[in-house]
Amino acid sequence: MTGYLGSYATLGLLLLASALFFVTAFSANRVLRPSRPADPWSKRTSYECGLDPVGGDWAQVQIRYYVYAYLYVLFAVEAVFLFPWALVFDRPGFGLVTVAEMGIFVAVVALGILYAWRKNILRWT
């Protein structure tokens, strides 16, 4: 489809096809599932390595695990920026500018590692 409204028609057809796929998938799930999925009742209990669950359903988690996850996401996302930098670095006229930008980038990553090191976050004890 060409023209100004053609792109909107393509978008509309795509949205209609995705909604139709969504409705079809959930309808097939309802038709094909077992009629009594939780019979007997013991199927609804938690499964912990073949043992019956002990204790309540509330558990306290230490905050350091969230800090590890945050640091991983921080450095993983920053590592994604290395790929575009590597592509632009080879082009003529971008050499000094891209080296300066990568220097700033490495400085930010180094500050993050230094902060984590000073707070003893990287020590697993």
Side-chain angles (χ1 to χ4, degrees), residues 30-124:
R30 182 169 287 268
V31 170
L32 297 175
R33 73 177 184 183
S35 60
R36 296 183 59 123
D39 192 31
W41 177 254
S42 61
K43 282 185 158 183
R44 292 188 184 187
T45 60
S46 301
Y47 182 74
E48 296 180 5
C49 301
L51 302 174
D52 291 332
V54 177
D57 58 351
W58 185 81
Q60 188 173 3
V61 178
Q62 294 183 7
I63 190 67
R64 70 177 177 207
Y65 299 119
Y66 294 109
V67 173
Y68 289 128
Y70 176 73
L71 286 173
Y72 171 75
V73 169
L74 175 72
F75 294 125
V77 168
E78 287 184 354
V80 170
F81 290 115
L82 291 174
F83 297 109
W85 176 79
L87 292 175
V88 172
F89 180 72
D90 194 21
R91 294 185 182 163
F94 286 101
L96 188 59
V97 174
T98 55
V99 168
E101 288 177 355
M102 187 48 63
I104 294 169
F105 173 77
V106 169
V108 169
V109 172
L111 282 174
I113 291 174
L114 181 67
Y115 174 78
W117 179 58
R118 297 280 294 174
K119 292 290 186 177
N120 290 329
I121 294 173
L122 300 177
R123 190 169 302 158
W124 187 273

